[in-house]
Amino acid sequence: MLAYLNSYIILADTNVWINWKFRAAVKKSTVLQRQLRVPHLVEDELKKKQEKDPELGKAAKDALKIIEKHEIRILDDTHLSFHHADPEFILYGMENAGDAVAVVTADNDLRDDLKALCPGVLILGWDIDAGQFALEGKPEYLMLAKQYGKIIASSRAAGRKDFAVLAVMLGGELVETPSGTCSAGESASLLARVVLHRGKQRALLLLAEGEDTLPYMGHRDTKLKSVDNAGFDVAVMDAAGRITVLKPKGKPLPCSKQQKAVPKPKAKATPAPKPKAKAVPAAKQAPAEAAEEYPHSKEIRHALEEKNFSKAQPRMEKSLKDCLDSGAFPKINKILDDCEEYGQELPLCIIRHYVAKTLPDIKKRDIAQLMARFTGKVGKELFCRLIKLTTGSKAAGIITPPLNAWKKLESTTDAQRKAIDAIIQYANEKK
């Protein structure tokens, strides 16, 4: 038995119990006997095969004897109006979402239904030749394992009951969880480790749903001078084990030896006198160091100076989207500050567009992205500022309906619903 399944409740399909190597493994392993559960309809199917199937009857009889001898727990009758066991696997997986549950089956149709309805359930096969569980990696996990040279998980992400299995799917040896403590706290330790990662691929920092991503997002492409480092991306894992990479960069940072030194400009014997700059009102001065504070900042400020808001609007929309995707909340505040500085009110159409970009198609968008964006002090303050700009004194305005709709989805967990309630409550208190 795979050691990383020790914390799992394991449900074996009838087609697995029929295999003699599986029954032999159950006989030898007291741990497996303790972890196994038998759906009520699986027991029924084994009894029917014992009585009516001349070819598999002996195997079914042996399976029932093992279940009885080792007191393997048989689940209660679900009273589903079916005569085969597949629905009970799906029911158990949906009713126990969030628990460490594994299903062992050779039925591809059941596997597909479990993947669609029970994303948190671990689906296993049974390797007949090897006589052991066959772990099927998730496609998105396999892609991450190929894309990143190291995956560093926070203590909250690594504290999941099923993390040992998820780590194997992510490449096993690639996954690292910093041990011990440091005086500056875990976030400082995580940031140091991902910044210092070197190699031919970037590293991936894996956080749990609800953890603040802001301390890390701005350092993803910090290039060190004293050592070579490859850069990193930030990802969030939700309650079902789905991983969302926030604004992935892809390519690793170049090695220091590949960076060409910038030649020093040659000194001119007699520099030409610089023309005197025209006086600009203090309220409209844009500091040189802030010229590229956010995407299209120069064009937006220029359009605002000319009071050409129709020209500024599409660029502002794109800047808001880009900054949101990268978690650059302070830059979004700069965009809003510029509107106020140049005497322009941010019209409702831009905020509506922003919300449409933030909360599109609630049935498809991964809630982990929302939780990652509006956690932490800066994210919450920005959220409240947008509500104020959108609807004045109304509670949560146009942002509340999509949040409430998200709460009603069957796929939304209780923890996610509580997080959404906390966001709305925070906005109401700060309006």
Side-chain angles (χ1 to χ4, degrees):
M1 185 182 63
L2 299 175
Y4 44 80
L5 292 175
N6 286 344
S7 62
Y8 274 76
I9 295 298
I10 302 175
L11 308 179
D13 203 352
T14 306
N15 51 49
V16 178
W17 277 106
I18 294 300
N19 181 265
W20 73 270
K21 284 192 176 181
F22 177 75
R23 299 196 305 276
V26 176
K27 289 177 182 178
K28 293 178 182 178
S29 174
T30 56
V31 177
L32 186 52
Q33 294 162 16
R34 173 179 54 81
Q35 291 175 255
L36 277 167
R37 301 289 185 274
V38 182
H40 177 77
L41 289 174
V42 168
E43 183 191 31
D44 277 359
E45 288 183 349
L46 289 172
K47 287 179 178 178
K48 289 176 182 177
K49 289 185 183 297
Q50 175 187 281
E51 297 169 0
K52 300 178 181 180
D53 193 325
E55 184 179 349
L56 301 176
K58 289 183 179 180
K61 183 178 181 179
D62 186 37
L64 290 167
K65 282 184 177 180
I66 293 171
I67 293 169
E68 181 180 5
K69 179 180 179 180
H70 297 290
E71 299 180 343
I72 297 172
R73 179 182 163 189
I74 299 173
L75 300 177
D76 295 335
D77 188 353
T78 57
H79 302 290
L80 293 174
S81 56
F82 294 91
H83 301 292
H84 60 101
D86 290 6
E88 284 195 334
F89 286 97
I90 297 170
L91 179 68
Y92 191 89
M94 294 180 71
E95 288 185 340
N96 296 277
D99 292 344
V101 177
V103 172
V104 195
T105 181
D107 186 335
N108 289 328
D109 290 340
L110 176 57
R111 296 164 79 92
D112 291 341
D113 288 341
L114 288 170
K115 288 176 184 178
L117 297 172
C118 313
V121 169
L122 177 65
I123 302 173
L124 299 169
W126 179 256
D127 189 327
I128 297 175
D129 295 328
Q132 63 182 13
F133 293 115
L135 180 63
E136 178 182 311
K138 296 183 179 181
E140 65 272 24
Y141 280 27
L142 297 175
M143 180 187 69
L144 292 174
K146 291 179 180 179
Q147 187 175 353
Y148 294 99
K150 183 176 288 296
I151 299 173
I152 299 177
S154 69
S155 58
R156 277 185 59 185
R160 298 169 57 107
K161 291 181 180 179
D162 59 353
F163 190 75
V165 174
L166 301 182
V168 172
M169 293 184 187
L170 285 168
E173 69 280 357
L174 296 177
V175 182
E176 175 184 314
T177 303
S179 58
T181 58
C182 64
S183 59
E186 184 189 31
S187 61
S189 177
L190 290 172
L191 180 59
R193 289 175 183 277
V194 288
V195 166
L196 289 169
H197 169 71
R198 64 188 298 271
K200 296 181 180 180
Q201 296 171 296
R202 295 169 72 88
L204 182 68
L205 174 61
L206 182 59
L207 303 175
E209 184 177 49
E211 289 193 90
D212 193 357
T213 62
L214 196 60
Y216 313 103
M217 295 297 288
H219 297 279
R220 292 173 299 161
D221 284 324
T222 298
K223 185 61 188 173
L224 302 178
K225 295 180 180 179
S226 58
V227 295
D228 272 332
N229 62 317
F232 68 94
D233 289 344
V234 179
V236 174
M237 178 184 284
D238 71 6
R242 292 176 293 239
I243 296 177
T244 301
V245 181
L246 306 179
K247 200 74 175 180
K249 294 284 186 178
K251 294 183 179 180
L253 300 176
C255 295
S256 298
K257 60 184 180 182
Q258 295 176 352
Q259 296 176 340
K260 296 181 180 180
V262 179
K264 295 181 179 180
K266 295 180 180 179
K268 295 182 180 180
T270 53
K274 296 181 180 179
K276 292 183 179 181
K278 294 182 180 180
V280 180
K284 295 187 179 183
Q285 288 180 352
E289 64 272 16
E292 294 299 338
E293 288 167 342
Y294 55 83
H296 309 292
S297 57
K298 288 182 178 179
E299 296 90 338
I300 290 172
R301 287 194 177 103
H302 183 68
L304 289 172
E305 285 182 2
E306 295 180 343
K307 299 188 181 299
N308 187 348
F309 206 78
S310 61
K311 183 178 179 180
Q313 179 174 329
R315 291 186 172 90
M316 291 177 68
E317 291 174 355
K318 188 176 188 309
S319 292
L320 285 168
K321 172 65 167 57
D322 291 345
C323 293
L324 175 72
D325 286 344
S326 63
F329 296 130
K331 292 186 178 182
I332 298 177
N333 273 318
K334 282 288 184 183
I335 298 173
L336 303 180
D337 288 342
D338 278 348
C339 283
E340 294 178 5
E341 182 180 349
Y342 288 98
Q344 296 285 349
E345 292 185 1
L346 196 63
L348 190 61
C349 62
I350 285 189
I351 295 295
R352 288 190 182 279
H353 181 88
Y354 170 84
V355 173
K357 292 283 187 182
T358 309
L359 304 172
D361 196 348
I362 59 173
K363 294 182 180 179
K364 296 181 180 178
R365 192 64 173 262
D366 194 336
I367 196 170
Q369 294 189 30
L370 175 73
M371 296 296 102
R373 286 169 177 170
F374 296 122
T375 54
K377 182 178 179 181
V378 179
K380 288 180 179 178
E381 292 293 345
L382 173 62
F383 181 78
C384 294
R385 183 176 184 181
L386 289 168
I387 291 174
K388 182 179 179 182
L389 287 169
T390 306
T391 55
S393 61
K394 292 183 181 179
I398 59 174
I399 299 180
T400 300
L403 288 177
N404 283 329
W406 220 330
K407 284 169 54 180
K408 296 177 183 177
L409 292 178
E410 292 183 3
S411 59
T412 304
T413 65
D414 288 339
Q416 292 166 345
R417 290 188 181 94
K418 288 180 182 178
I420 292 174
D421 286 336
I423 290 173
I424 296 174
Q425 182 182 356
Y426 185 91
N428 287 334
E429 291 172 351
K430 296 289 184 178
K431 67 181 180 180

